[in-house]
PDB file of all heavy atoms in Angstrom:
ATOM      1  N   ARG A   1     110.777 103.971 106.087  1.00 98.00           N
ATOM      2  CA  ARG A   1     111.682 105.128 106.056  1.00 98.00           C
ATOM      3  C   ARG A   1     111.911 105.695 107.450  1.00 98.00           C
ATOM      4  O   ARG A   1     113.001 106.178 107.764  1.00 98.00           O
ATOM      5  CB  ARG A   1     111.115 106.210 105.133  1.00 98.00           C
ATOM      6  CG  ARG A   1     112.004 107.460 104.998  1.00 98.00           C
ATOM      7  CD  ARG A   1     111.429 108.444 103.998  1.00 98.00           C
ATOM      8  NE  ARG A   1     110.169 109.022 104.448  1.00 98.00           N
ATOM      9  CZ  ARG A   1     110.064 110.137 105.160  1.00 98.00           C
ATOM     10  NH1 ARG A   1     111.159 110.812 105.518  1.00 98.00           N
ATOM     11  NH2 ARG A   1     108.887 110.600 105.513  1.00 98.00           N
ATOM     12  N   LEU A   2     110.883 105.662 108.285  1.00 98.00           N
ATOM     13  CA  LEU A   2     110.950 106.216 109.633  1.00 98.00           C
ATOM     14  C   LEU A   2     110.804 105.111 110.671  1.00 98.00           C
ATOM     15  O   LEU A   2     110.569 103.941 110.333  1.00 98.00           O
ATOM     16  CB  LEU A   2     109.846 107.269 109.823  1.00 98.00           C
ATOM     17  CG  LEU A   2     109.836 108.436 108.833  1.00 98.00           C
ATOM     18  CD1 LEU A   2     108.613 109.326 109.086  1.00 98.00           C
ATOM     19  CD2 LEU A   2     111.119 109.241 108.917  1.00 98.00           C
ATOM     20  N   ALA A   3     110.881 105.481 111.921  1.00 98.00           N
ATOM     21  CA  ALA A   3     110.702 104.515 112.999  1.00 98.00           C
ATOM     22  C   ALA A   3     109.285 103.945 112.968  1.00 98.00           C
ATOM     23  O   ALA A   3     108.332 104.658 112.612  1.00 98.00           O
ATOM     24  CB  ALA A   3     110.974 105.188 114.343  1.00 98.00           C
ATOM     25  N   PRO A   4     109.102 102.681 113.320  1.00 98.00           N
ATOM     26  CA  PRO A   4     107.768 102.067 113.281  1.00 98.00           C
ATOM     27  C   PRO A   4     106.728 102.808 114.110  1.00 98.00           C
ATOM     28  O   PRO A   4     105.523 102.702 113.831  1.00 98.00           O
ATOM     29  CB  PRO A   4     108.015 100.663 113.849  1.00 98.00           C
ATOM     30  CG  PRO A   4     109.458 100.401 113.575  1.00 98.00           C
ATOM     31  CD  PRO A   4     110.146 101.721 113.707  1.00 98.00           C
ATOM     32  N   SER A   5     107.159 103.572 115.099  1.00 97.00           N
ATOM     33  CA  SER A   5     106.217 104.288 115.956  1.00 97.00           C
ATOM     34  C   SER A   5     105.700 105.583 115.329  1.00 97.00           C
ATOM     35  O   SER A   5     104.737 106.170 115.830  1.00 97.00           O
ATOM     36  CB  SER A   5     106.882 104.613 117.299  1.00 97.00           C
ATOM     37  OG  SER A   5     108.041 105.422 117.091  1.00 97.00           O
ATOM     38  N   ALA A   6     106.299 106.020 114.248  1.00 98.00           N
ATOM     39  CA  ALA A   6     105.889 107.273 113.611  1.00 98.00           C
ATOM     40  C   ALA A   6     104.490 107.130 113.007  1.00 98.00           C
ATOM     41  O   ALA A   6     104.137 106.095 112.440  1.00 98.00           O
ATOM     42  CB  ALA A   6     106.889 107.674 112.529  1.00 98.00           C
ATOM     43  N   GLU A   7     103.695 108.191 113.133  1.00 98.00           N
ATOM     44  CA  GLU A   7     102.320 108.143 112.623  1.00 98.00           C
ATOM     45  C   GLU A   7     102.269 107.786 111.153  1.00 98.00           C
ATOM     46  O   GLU A   7     101.399 107.019 110.717  1.00 98.00           O
ATOM     47  CB  GLU A   7     101.649 109.504 112.846  1.00 98.00           C
ATOM     48  CG  GLU A   7     100.231 109.576 112.267  1.00 98.00           C
ATOM     49  CD  GLU A   7      99.576 110.925 112.459  1.00 98.00           C
ATOM     50  OE1 GLU A   7      99.394 111.342 113.620  1.00 98.00           O
ATOM     51  OE2 GLU A   7      99.247 111.565 111.437  1.00 98.00           O
ATOM     52  N   GLN A   8     103.186 108.313 110.368  1.00 98.00           N
ATOM     53  CA  GLN A   8     103.174 108.081 108.921  1.00 98.00           C
ATOM     54  C   GLN A   8     103.553 106.657 108.533  1.00 98.00           C
ATOM     55  O   GLN A   8     103.393 106.272 107.364  1.00 98.00           O
ATOM     56  CB  GLN A   8     104.133 109.046 108.230  1.00 98.00           C
ATOM     57  CG  GLN A   8     103.753 110.506 108.371  1.00 98.00           C
ATOM     58  CD  GLN A   8     104.774 111.398 107.701  1.00 98.00           C
ATOM     59  OE1 GLN A   8     104.857 111.450 106.470  1.00 98.00           O
ATOM     60  NE2 GLN A   8     105.572 112.096 108.500  1.00 98.00           N
ATOM     61  N   MET A   9     104.060 105.881 109.476  1.00 98.00           N
ATOM     62  CA  MET A   9     104.433 104.501 109.190  1.00 98.00           C
ATOM     63  C   MET A   9     103.285 103.537 109.497  1.00 98.00           C
ATOM     64  O   MET A   9     103.472 102.440 110.029  1.00 98.00           O
ATOM     65  CB  MET A   9     105.672 104.117 110.003  1.00 98.00           C
ATOM     66  CG  MET A   9     106.912 104.924 109.639  1.00 98.00           C
ATOM     67  SD  MET A   9     107.484 104.707 107.914  1.00 98.00           S
ATOM     68  CE  MET A   9     106.810 106.169 107.112  1.00 98.00           C
ATOM     69  N   ARG A  10     102.096 103.969 109.160  1.00 98.00           N
ATOM     70  CA  ARG A  10     100.921 103.104 109.320  1.00 98.00           C
ATOM     71  C   ARG A  10     100.154 103.019 108.002  1.00 98.00           C
ATOM     72  O   ARG A  10     100.220 103.909 107.160  1.00 98.00           O
ATOM     73  CB  ARG A  10     100.017 103.629 110.446  1.00 98.00           C
ATOM     74  CG  ARG A  10     100.638 103.458 111.831  1.00 98.00           C
ATOM     75  CD  ARG A  10      99.619 103.706 112.930  1.00 98.00           C
ATOM     76  NE  ARG A  10      99.316 105.122 113.093  1.00 98.00           N
ATOM     77  CZ  ARG A  10      98.346 105.581 113.888  1.00 98.00           C
ATOM     78  NH1 ARG A  10      97.570 104.736 114.545  1.00 98.00           N
ATOM     79  NH2 ARG A  10      98.141 106.878 113.996  1.00 98.00           N
ATOM     80  N   PHE A  11      99.416 101.919 107.885  1.00 98.00           N
ATOM     81  CA  PHE A  11      98.703 101.632 106.647  1.00 98.00           C
ATOM     82  C   PHE A  11      97.526 100.734 107.015  1.00 98.00           C
ATOM     83  O   PHE A  11      97.541 100.059 108.039  1.00 98.00           O
ATOM     84  CB  PHE A  11      99.637 100.919 105.657  1.00 98.00           C
ATOM     85  CG  PHE A  11      99.239 101.021 104.213  1.00 98.00           C
ATOM     86  CD1 PHE A  11      99.111 102.245 103.591  1.00 98.00           C
ATOM     87  CD2 PHE A  11      99.004  99.880 103.456  1.00 98.00           C
ATOM     88  CE1 PHE A  11      98.757 102.353 102.255  1.00 98.00           C
ATOM     89  CE2 PHE A  11      98.650  99.972 102.119  1.00 98.00           C
ATOM     90  CZ  PHE A  11      98.526 101.210 101.515  1.00 98.00           C
ATOM     91  N   ARG A  12      96.504 100.723 106.172  1.00 98.00           N
ATOM     92  CA  ARG A  12      95.330  99.911 106.489  1.00 98.00           C
ATOM     93  C   ARG A  12      95.596  98.423 106.296  1.00 98.00           C
ATOM     94  O   ARG A  12      96.188  98.006 105.309  1.00 98.00           O
ATOM     95  CB  ARG A  12      94.135 100.352 105.654  1.00 98.00           C
ATOM     96  CG  ARG A  12      93.513 101.654 106.130  1.00 98.00           C
ATOM     97  CD  ARG A  12      92.187 101.930 105.463  1.00 98.00           C
ATOM     98  NE  ARG A  12      91.226 100.860 105.723  1.00 98.00           N
ATOM     99  CZ  ARG A  12      90.001 100.820 105.199  1.00 98.00           C
ATOM    100  NH1 ARG A  12      89.591 101.789 104.383  1.00 98.00           N
ATOM    101  NH2 ARG A  12      89.192  99.813 105.475  1.00 98.00           N
ATOM    102  N   ARG A  13      95.115  97.660 107.270  1.00 98.00           N
ATOM    103  CA  ARG A  13      95.299  96.208 107.242  1.00 98.00           C
ATOM    104  C   ARG A  13      94.691  95.587 105.983  1.00 98.00           C
ATOM    105  O   ARG A  13      95.225  94.630 105.432  1.00 98.00           O
ATOM    106  CB  ARG A  13      94.677  95.580 108.483  1.00 98.00           C
ATOM    107  CG  ARG A  13      94.903  94.077 108.610  1.00 98.00           C
ATOM    108  CD  ARG A  13      94.139  93.483 109.789  1.00 98.00           C
ATOM    109  NE  ARG A  13      94.597  94.050 111.042  1.00 98.00           N
ATOM    110  CZ  ARG A  13      95.648  93.584 111.733  1.00 98.00           C
ATOM    111  NH1 ARG A  13      96.330  92.560 111.255  1.00 98.00           N
ATOM    112  NH2 ARG A  13      95.996  94.156 112.863  1.00 98.00           N
ATOM    113  N   VAL A  14      93.554  96.128 105.523  1.00 98.00           N
ATOM    114  CA  VAL A  14      92.859  95.561 104.372  1.00 98.00           C
ATOM    115  C   VAL A  14      93.728  95.563 103.120  1.00 98.00           C
ATOM    116  O   VAL A  14      93.528  94.751 102.207  1.00 98.00           O
ATOM    117  CB  VAL A  14      91.537  96.325 104.116  1.00 98.00           C
ATOM    118  CG1 VAL A  14      91.799  97.737 103.612  1.00 98.00           C
ATOM    119  CG2 VAL A  14      90.648  95.576 103.144  1.00 98.00           C
ATOM    120  N   ALA A  15      94.712  96.466 103.059  1.00 98.00           N
ATOM    121  CA  ALA A  15      95.589  96.552 101.889  1.00 98.00           C
ATOM    122  C   ALA A  15      96.985  96.004 102.173  1.00 98.00           C
ATOM    123  O   ALA A  15      97.834  95.977 101.271  1.00 98.00           O
ATOM    124  CB  ALA A  15      95.696  98.002 101.421  1.00 98.00           C
ATOM    125  N   HIS A  16      97.222  95.561 103.399  1.00 98.00           N
ATOM    126  CA  HIS A  16      98.582  95.216 103.814  1.00 98.00           C
ATOM    127  C   HIS A  16      99.149  94.014 103.067  1.00 98.00           C
ATOM    128  O   HIS A  16     100.324  94.016 102.658  1.00 98.00           O
ATOM    129  CB  HIS A  16      98.616  94.948 105.322  1.00 98.00           C
ATOM    130  CG  HIS A  16      99.964  94.523 105.808  1.00 98.00           C
ATOM    131  ND1 HIS A  16     100.262  93.201 106.122  1.00 98.00           N
ATOM    132  CD2 HIS A  16     101.109  95.231 106.004  1.00 98.00           C
ATOM    133  CE1 HIS A  16     101.528  93.130 106.504  1.00 98.00           C
ATOM    134  NE2 HIS A  16     102.060  94.336 106.440  1.00 98.00           N
ATOM    135  N   ASP A  17      98.347  92.969 102.878  1.00 98.00           N
ATOM    136  CA  ASP A  17      98.871  91.763 102.229  1.00 98.00           C
ATOM    137  C   ASP A  17      99.375  92.065 100.823  1.00 98.00           C
ATOM    138  O   ASP A  17     100.423  91.551 100.406  1.00 98.00           O
ATOM    139  CB  ASP A  17      97.794  90.681 102.173  1.00 98.00           C
ATOM    140  CG  ASP A  17      97.542  90.035 103.530  1.00 98.00           C
ATOM    141  OD1 ASP A  17      98.330  90.297 104.465  1.00 98.00           O
ATOM    142  OD2 ASP A  17      96.545  89.294 103.659  1.00 98.00           O
ATOM    143  N   GLN A  18      98.631  92.881 100.082  1.00 98.00           N
ATOM    144  CA  GLN A  18      99.061  93.220  98.723  1.00 98.00           C
ATOM    145  C   GLN A  18     100.272  94.145  98.736  1.00 98.00           C
ATOM    146  O   GLN A  18     101.146  94.051  97.874  1.00 98.00           O
ATOM    147  CB  GLN A  18      97.902  93.857  97.952  1.00 98.00           C
ATOM    148  CG  GLN A  18      96.783  92.882  97.614  1.00 98.00           C
ATOM    149  CD  GLN A  18      97.271  91.690  96.821  1.00 98.00           C
ATOM    150  OE1 GLN A  18      98.068  91.814  95.884  1.00 98.00           O
ATOM    151  NE2 GLN A  18      96.799  90.507  97.192  1.00 98.00           N
ATOM    152  N   LEU A  19     100.337  95.035  99.730  1.00 98.00           N
ATOM    153  CA  LEU A  19     101.521  95.894  99.866  1.00 98.00           C
ATOM    154  C   LEU A  19     102.760  95.036 100.112  1.00 98.00           C
ATOM    155  O   LEU A  19     103.799  95.216  99.458  1.00 98.00           O
ATOM    156  CB  LEU A  19     101.324  96.875 101.027  1.00 98.00           C
ATOM    157  CG  LEU A  19     102.515  97.806 101.311  1.00 98.00           C
ATOM    158  CD1 LEU A  19     102.562  98.928 100.277  1.00 98.00           C
ATOM    159  CD2 LEU A  19     102.411  98.397 102.729  1.00 98.00           C
ATOM    160  N   LYS A  20     102.640  94.105 101.017  1.00 98.00           N
ATOM    161  CA  LYS A  20     103.767  93.242 101.351  1.00 98.00           C
ATOM    162  C   LYS A  20     104.166  92.370 100.156  1.00 98.00           C
ATOM    163  O   LYS A  20     105.361  92.186  99.872  1.00 98.00           O
ATOM    164  CB  LYS A  20     103.402  92.358 102.549  1.00 98.00           C
ATOM    165  CG  LYS A  20     104.555  91.545 103.107  1.00 98.00           C
ATOM    166  CD  LYS A  20     104.145  90.818 104.378  1.00 98.00           C
ATOM    167  CE  LYS A  20     105.314  90.005 104.932  1.00 98.00           C
ATOM    168  NZ  LYS A  20     104.923  89.293 106.191  1.00 98.00           N
ATOM    169  N   ALA A  21     103.177  91.850  99.440  1.00 98.00           N
ATOM    170  CA  ALA A  21     103.455  91.034  98.253  1.00 98.00           C
ATOM    171  C   ALA A  21     104.163  91.857  97.181  1.00 98.00           C
ATOM    172  O   ALA A  21     105.066  91.367  96.496  1.00 98.00           O
ATOM    173  CB  ALA A  21     102.158  90.448  97.711  1.00 98.00           C
ATOM    174  N   MET A  22     103.752  93.108  97.033  1.00 98.00           N
ATOM    175  CA  MET A  22     104.375  93.974  96.026  1.00 98.00           C
ATOM    176  C   MET A  22     105.830  94.259  96.382  1.00 98.00           C
ATOM    177  O   MET A  22     106.715  94.200  95.519  1.00 98.00           O
ATOM    178  CB  MET A  22     103.585  95.288  95.917  1.00 98.00           C
ATOM    179  CG  MET A  22     104.113  96.239  94.849  1.00 98.00           C
ATOM    180  SD  MET A  22     102.982  97.635  94.555  1.00 98.00           S
ATOM    181  CE  MET A  22     103.141  98.521  96.107  1.00 98.00           C
ATOM    182  N   PHE A  23     106.101  94.554  97.635  1.00 98.00           N
ATOM    183  CA  PHE A  23     107.484  94.806  98.061  1.00 98.00           C
ATOM    184  C   PHE A  23     108.339  93.555  97.862  1.00 98.00           C
ATOM    185  O   PHE A  23     109.503  93.652  97.435  1.00 98.00           O
ATOM    186  CB  PHE A  23     107.513  95.242  99.529  1.00 98.00           C
ATOM    187  CG  PHE A  23     107.328  96.723  99.734  1.00 98.00           C
ATOM    188  CD1 PHE A  23     106.206  97.382  99.254  1.00 98.00           C
ATOM    189  CD2 PHE A  23     108.280  97.462 100.415  1.00 98.00           C
ATOM    190  CE1 PHE A  23     106.030  98.755  99.439  1.00 98.00           C
ATOM    191  CE2 PHE A  23     108.123  98.832 100.608  1.00 98.00           C
ATOM    192  CZ  PHE A  23     106.996  99.476 100.117  1.00 98.00           C
ATOM    193  N   ALA A  24     107.775  92.385  98.136  1.00 98.00           N
ATOM    194  CA  ALA A  24     108.516  91.134  97.966  1.00 98.00           C
ATOM    195  C   ALA A  24     108.801  90.864  96.493  1.00 98.00           C
ATOM    196  O   ALA A  24     109.894  90.393  96.129  1.00 98.00           O
ATOM    197  CB  ALA A  24     107.731  89.978  98.575  1.00 98.00           C
ATOM    198  N   ALA A  25     107.828  91.154  95.621  1.00 98.00           N
ATOM    199  CA  ALA A  25     108.026  90.939  94.181  1.00 98.00           C
ATOM    200  C   ALA A  25     109.104  91.868  93.645  1.00 98.00           C
ATOM    201  O   ALA A  25     109.929  91.467  92.799  1.00 98.00           O
ATOM    202  CB  ALA A  25     106.706  91.171  93.443  1.00 98.00           C
ATOM    203  N   ALA A  26     109.113  93.104  94.116  1.00 98.00           N
ATOM    204  CA  ALA A  26     110.160  94.038  93.694  1.00 98.00           C
ATOM    205  C   ALA A  26     111.527  93.544  94.173  1.00 98.00           C
ATOM    206  O   ALA A  26     112.516  93.603  93.424  1.00 98.00           O
ATOM    207  CB  ALA A  26     109.868  95.429  94.255  1.00 98.00           C
ATOM    208  N   GLU A  27     111.578  93.062  95.394  1.00 98.00           N
ATOM    209  CA  GLU A  27     112.836  92.537  95.942  1.00 98.00           C
ATOM    210  C   GLU A  27     113.356  91.379  95.102  1.00 98.00           C
ATOM    211  O   GLU A  27     114.561  91.257  94.855  1.00 98.00           O
ATOM    212  CB  GLU A  27     112.612  92.072  97.382  1.00 98.00           C
ATOM    213  CG  GLU A  27     113.869  91.697  98.145  1.00 98.00           C
ATOM    214  CD  GLU A  27     114.616  92.904  98.695  1.00 98.00           C
ATOM    215  OE1 GLU A  27     113.970  93.911  99.041  1.00 98.00           O
ATOM    216  OE2 GLU A  27     115.855  92.829  98.770  1.00 98.00           O
ATOM    217  N   ALA A  28     112.439  90.529  94.637  1.00 98.00           N
ATOM    218  CA  ALA A  28     112.823  89.402  93.788  1.00 98.00           C
ATOM    219  C   ALA A  28     113.403  89.879  92.463  1.00 98.00           C
ATOM    220  O   ALA A  28     114.167  89.148  91.817  1.00 98.00           O
ATOM    221  CB  ALA A  28     111.612  88.504  93.539  1.00 98.00           C
ATOM    222  N   ASP A  29     113.049  91.076  92.056  1.00 98.00           N
ATOM    223  CA  ASP A  29     113.592  91.685  90.831  1.00 98.00           C
ATOM    224  C   ASP A  29     114.768  92.617  91.137  1.00 98.00           C
ATOM    225  O   ASP A  29     115.125  93.462  90.302  1.00 98.00           O
ATOM    226  CB  ASP A  29     112.490  92.473  90.107  1.00 98.00           C
ATOM    227  CG  ASP A  29     111.451  91.572  89.466  1.00 98.00           C
ATOM    228  OD1 ASP A  29     111.751  90.389  89.223  1.00 98.00           O
ATOM    229  OD2 ASP A  29     110.320  92.051  89.210  1.00 98.00           O
ATOM    230  N   ASP A  30     115.334  92.463  92.329  1.00 98.00           N
ATOM    231  CA  ASP A  30     116.494  93.263  92.767  1.00 98.00           C
ATOM    232  C   ASP A  30     116.182  94.756  92.868  1.00 98.00           C
ATOM    233  O   ASP A  30     117.030  95.603  92.609  1.00 98.00           O
ATOM    234  CB  ASP A  30     117.699  93.046  91.823  1.00 98.00           C
ATOM    235  CG  ASP A  30     118.214  91.621  91.875  1.00 98.00           C
ATOM    236  OD1 ASP A  30     118.212  91.031  92.974  1.00 98.00           O
ATOM    237  OD2 ASP A  30     118.607  91.099  90.814  1.00 98.00           O
ATOM    238  N   VAL A  31     114.946  95.070  93.226  1.00 98.00           N
ATOM    239  CA  VAL A  31     114.538  96.460  93.444  1.00 98.00           C
ATOM    240  C   VAL A  31     114.059  96.577  94.896  1.00 98.00           C
ATOM    241  O   VAL A  31     113.132  95.880  95.303  1.00 98.00           O
ATOM    242  CB  VAL A  31     113.405  96.881  92.485  1.00 98.00           C
ATOM    243  CG1 VAL A  31     112.923  98.295  92.815  1.00 98.00           C
ATOM    244  CG2 VAL A  31     113.871  96.802  91.043  1.00 98.00           C
ATOM    245  N   GLN A  32     114.708  97.448  95.647  1.00 98.00           N
ATOM    246  CA  GLN A  32     114.356  97.627  97.049  1.00 98.00           C
ATOM    247  C   GLN A  32     113.440  98.838  97.215  1.00 98.00           C
ATOM    248  O   GLN A  32     113.855  99.985  97.021  1.00 98.00           O
ATOM    249  CB  GLN A  32     115.616  97.807  97.904  1.00 98.00           C
ATOM    250  CG  GLN A  32     116.497  96.562  97.962  1.00 98.00           C
ATOM    251  CD  GLN A  32     117.687  96.764  98.881  1.00 98.00           C
ATOM    252  OE1 GLN A  32     118.212  97.866  99.013  1.00 98.00           O
ATOM    253  NE2 GLN A  32     118.125  95.685  99.521  1.00 98.00           N
ATOM    254  N   LEU A  33     112.199  98.557  97.565  1.00 98.00           N
ATOM    255  CA  LEU A  33     111.231  99.619  97.812  1.00 98.00           C
ATOM    256  C   LEU A  33     111.247 100.004  99.286  1.00 98.00           C
ATOM    257  O   LEU A  33     111.496  99.167 100.152  1.00 98.00           O
ATOM    258  CB  LEU A  33     109.819  99.163  97.435  1.00 98.00           C
ATOM    259  CG  LEU A  33     109.557  98.834  95.962  1.00 98.00           C
ATOM    260  CD1 LEU A  33     108.134  98.305  95.798  1.00 98.00           C
ATOM    261  CD2 LEU A  33     109.782 100.059  95.085  1.00 98.00           C
ATOM    262  N   VAL A  34     110.946 101.249  99.548  1.00 98.00           N
ATOM    263  CA  VAL A  34     110.848 101.744 100.914  1.00 98.00           C
ATOM    264  C   VAL A  34     109.508 102.451 101.084  1.00 98.00           C
ATOM    265  O   VAL A  34     109.100 103.241 100.220  1.00 98.00           O
ATOM    266  CB  VAL A  34     112.004 102.703 101.260  1.00 98.00           C
ATOM    267  CG1 VAL A  34     111.808 103.314 102.649  1.00 98.00           C
ATOM    268  CG2 VAL A  34     113.350 101.975 101.193  1.00 98.00           C
TER     269      VAL A  34
END
């Protein structure tokens, strides 16, 4: 939602792979998550 440099645009690496997989699965169902 914000610029990559914004503090709120960070997340823990340990959860990143599942976050990315979830966004990709939603995209495959024609749902764009932000």
Side-chain angles (χ1 to χ4, degrees):
R1 181 176 66 90
L2 303 175
S5 60
E7 177 181 299
Q8 297 178 72
M9 296 297 99
R10 290 192 286 172
F11 202 59
R12 285 191 59 183
R13 184 186 298 274
V14 69
H16 177 256
D17 286 350
Q18 290 303 317
L19 178 77
K20 188 174 180 180
M22 183 170 68
F23 273 57
E27 189 80 32
D29 289 339
D30 295 323
V31 175
Q32 294 183 328
L33 296 176
V34 175

